[in-house]
């Protein structure tokens, strides 16, 4: 089982799928952007407005940080990790040889998109649809993940590279204080982006036959 040449009714479909195929993880990034800050903002705003959510709950919250503001995220992260080293929770040798250079590489990029979920905003709908109450938190996380993927793919389509990080809850308090983030916003992921300074790693695929089935064709 594999991909075959097909003809789509709308040429935009092929364009979307090519963007999906092209999206990769770039760790080597420069603090530059081939597009304007306004274009970046438009991509993020579009994801906030148009990515679907269950029952139209609109639980995703997003913060775009550019240039010097972006660097603060990774200063906060580095300080938090240094605290773990001082407490003996992380070996200093591993921190200096691996962790610190990785955080510094994120800091060297152009921007970071912080993705949050406002779970508290679900209180009323959980009460209204009590039979689904335990499902709404996972649904909210799924919607947030779609936003992450859309922004990542769109940024790469515009010539930027990105990688997705998860340093929550280690950095949550510092992030909240620095940008006065509402307490109900729970940090889920950090998308780091900038102009690629190197090639992505090789993309490997598990056999499609083990991951996909079709019936009725």
């Amino acid at each position: 089982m594999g991909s075959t040449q097909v003809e789509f009714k709308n040429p935009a479909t092929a364009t979307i799928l090519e963007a999906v195929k092209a999206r990769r993880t770039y760790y080597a990034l420069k603090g530059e952007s081939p597009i304007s800050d306004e274009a970046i903002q438009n991509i993020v705003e579009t994801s906030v407005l148009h990515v679907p959510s269950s029952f139209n709950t609109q639980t995703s919250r997003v913060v775009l940080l550019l240039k010097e503001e972006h660097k603060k995220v990774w200063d906060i992260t580095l300080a938090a990790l240094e605290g773990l080293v001082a407490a003996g929770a992380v070996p200093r040798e591993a921190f200096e040889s691996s962790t610190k250079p990785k955080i510094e590489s994120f800091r060297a990029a152009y921007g970071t998109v912080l993705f949050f979920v406002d779970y508290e905003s679900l209180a009323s709908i959980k009460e209204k649809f009590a039979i689904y109450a335990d499902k709404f938190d996972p649904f909210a996380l799924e919607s947030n993940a779609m936003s992450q993927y859309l922004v990542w793919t769109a940024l790469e389509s515009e010539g930027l590279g990105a990688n997705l990080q998860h340093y929550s809850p280690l950095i949550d308090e510092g992030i909240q204080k620095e940008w006065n983030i509402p307490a109900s916003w729970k940090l889920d992921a950090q998308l780091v982006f900038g102009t690629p300074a190197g090639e992505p790693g090789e993309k490997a695929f598990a056999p499609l036959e083990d991951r996909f089935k079709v019936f009725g064709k």
Side-chain angles (χ1 to χ4, degrees):
M1 187 183 297
S3 62
T4 57
Q5 288 292 107
V6 297
E7 184 175 338
F8 297 107
K9 179 180 177 181
N10 185 347
T13 303
T15 302
I16 292 169
L17 294 178
E18 286 304 313
V20 167
K21 294 175 187 178
R23 187 219 51 82
R24 303 296 301 278
T25 295
Y26 286 85
Y27 289 110
L29 300 168
K30 295 186 287 187
E32 303 170 2
S33 173
I35 60 175
S36 68
D37 293 346
E38 289 72 24
I40 295 170
Q41 180 175 336
N42 184 266
I43 287 171
V44 178
E45 287 179 341
T46 299
S47 82
V48 173
L49 287 173
H50 295 286
V51 166
S53 58
S54 69
F55 291 76
N56 197 31
T57 46
Q58 303 181 52
T59 47
S60 289
R61 308 288 184 263
V62 185
V63 174
L64 172 62
L65 301 169
L66 301 168
K67 303 165 187 167
E68 295 305 313
E69 291 298 305
H70 141 82
K71 292 178 181 178
K72 292 178 183 179
V73 176
W74 304 106
D75 291 338
I76 290 168
T77 306
L78 193 60
L81 288 166
E82 286 175 337
L84 294 180
V85 174
V90 174
R92 179 161 293 281
E93 183 178 349
F95 172 76
E96 294 291 345
S97 64
S98 177
T99 305
K100 186 176 181 180
K102 181 169 64 174
I103 300 303
E104 289 175 342
S105 74
F106 301 152
R107 190 181 188 277
Y110 187 77
T112 300
V113 187
L114 302 177
F115 292 91
F116 303 80
V117 179
D118 188 349
Y119 293 106
E120 291 185 17
S121 68
L122 292 168
S124 61
I125 200 161
K126 285 181 179 179
E127 183 178 353
K128 183 177 181 179
F129 298 98
I131 192 172
Y132 300 119
D134 63 335
K135 302 294 185 183
F136 283 111
D137 284 5
F139 289 163
L141 200 57
E142 290 168 3
S143 178
N144 198 258
M146 286 191 278
S147 292
Q148 296 167 28
Y149 186 71
L150 174 59
V151 172
W152 190 348
T153 303
L155 288 176
E156 182 151 337
S157 181
E158 287 296 304
L160 288 152
N163 61 77
L164 192 66
Q165 300 301 316
H166 301 86
Y167 283 91
S168 184
L170 183 66
I171 63 175
D172 290 14
E173 183 178 355
I175 295 291
Q176 185 179 3
K177 288 180 178 178
E178 181 63 38
W179 290 285
N180 195 28
I181 303 298
S184 63
W185 294 21
K186 301 305 177 185
L187 184 61
D188 180 60
Q190 308 88 50
L191 184 69
V192 188
F193 64 90
T195 299
E199 295 299 317
E202 183 179 354
K203 195 172 187 178
F205 299 93
L208 188 59
E209 308 85 62
D210 298 339
R211 304 168 60 200
F212 173 72
K213 298 182 186 298
V214 58
F215 301 96
K217 183 176 178 182

